[in-house]
Amino acid sequence: LERINEYIEKAKSSWLVILICMVFFGGVLFINALMKPTFYQASTTFHPETCYQEGESFSPINLLFGCESGGSSNKFMIGILKSRNLSEQVAADTVIIDSQKYLLADLINESIPDFTSLYSYFQYLLRDEPRKKILRVKIIQAASYIRSSQIITNTEEGFISLAISAFDKELAGLISNSYI
C-alpha cells in the first residue's frame, strides 16, 4: 500500500503534464474520428443450389429447391465467393446507372476516399501525382477491395449470408447484386 501511495503522490505532483497529454491525444483522436468517412454494408442471404455429396447431412431446404437428396454443403460455394477469380469478374462487370454503362471497377476505385485518418492524410499530402491506371490494374485493385470488404458466413439453415461493405451505400448494393 505504501508503494501505491508513492505512485499516487507522483501522479498528483505531475497532474498538469498528465492533463496536457490527455487533451492533446484526445484532440488527435477526436480529429481522427471526424475524418473517418461513413462505411455502408449491404447484406444478402441466399441458398445456393447444391446436391447431396458423401458425408453431408440431410437438409430439407434443398428438397424445397429441387435437389432430390437434400444435401447441404455450402463450403465449396463459400470458397468460390471468396476467390480472386470471381471478385475480378465482378469488378470487370458493367452496371447500368441512369441508363449509362459504368465499369464497376471504376466506380469502386472512385468511391475510395483519398484519406481516412490523420496518418493516411499525411501520406496523401506526401504522395506524388497519381498515374493513370490501365484497365487490368483497375480491376485487380477493385477486386482486392471487394475481397477485403466482404464477410461470408454459412447460416444454420444452410443459407449463405454475404455482406459487402463500401464507402457508398448504392455501390455496396451494386457489388452485392453483381455477386448474386
Side-chain angles (χ1 to χ4, degrees):
L1 290 175
E2 290 178 21
R3 183 168 273 172
I4 293 174
N5 287 333
E6 288 178 30
Y7 290 136
I8 291 173
E9 290 302 320
K10 282 189 177 188
K12 285 181 181 178
S13 66
S14 58
W15 68 271
L16 186 59
V17 174
I18 294 171
L19 182 66
I20 290 172
C21 288
M22 284 177 34
V23 168
F24 174 74
F25 289 114
V28 168
L29 292 174
F30 180 72
I31 291 170
N32 194 39
L34 290 177
M35 293 179 80
K36 288 276 186 199
T38 306
F39 211 55
Y40 298 95
Q41 187 176 57
S43 297
T44 185
T45 303
F46 61 95
H47 188 272
E49 292 183 24
T50 59
C51 289
Y52 184 76
Q53 298 173 0
E54 280 188 49
E56 293 180 342
S57 60
F58 182 77
S59 173
I61 293 175
N62 275 344
L63 291 173
L64 293 173
F65 289 106
C67 187
E68 296 86 24
S69 60
S72 65
S73 176
N74 290 335
K75 291 180 184 176
F76 76 94
M77 182 61 80
I78 290 174
I80 291 171
L81 290 171
K82 290 182 178 180
S83 73
R84 177 180 175 186
N85 186 32
L86 183 60
S87 63
E88 287 181 1
Q89 291 297 321
V90 168
D93 195 13
T94 56
V95 292
I96 298 174
I97 301 172
D98 297 331
S99 69
Q100 287 189 325
K101 288 185 179 182
Y102 295 97
L103 182 67
L104 194 55
D106 286 336
L107 295 175
I108 292 170
N109 290 328
E110 289 171 4
S111 75
I112 299 172
D114 293 329
F115 51 88
T116 58
S117 65
L118 281 176
Y119 178 72
S120 64
Y121 177 69
F122 290 122
Q123 286 180 329
Y124 171 74
L125 292 177
L126 298 174
R127 184 173 43 188
D128 291 338
E129 194 67 29
R131 288 182 262 151
K132 187 169 180 155
K133 298 175 188 171
I134 59 174
L135 178 64
R136 186 75 189 141
V137 173
K138 288 180 190 180
I139 291 172
I140 290 172
Q141 286 178 339
S144 175
Y145 173 80
I146 290 171
R147 283 191 310 276
S148 67
S149 71
Q150 69 183 0
I151 300 169
I152 303 170
T153 56
N154 196 8
T155 65
E156 291 178 13
E157 296 83 17
F159 290 88
I160 292 178
S161 176
L162 171 67
I164 302 285
S165 301
F167 291 104
D168 183 0
K169 62 182 173 183
E170 292 164 0
L171 182 61
L174 285 173
I175 295 170
S176 183
N177 284 337
S178 292
Y179 258 94
I180 292 172

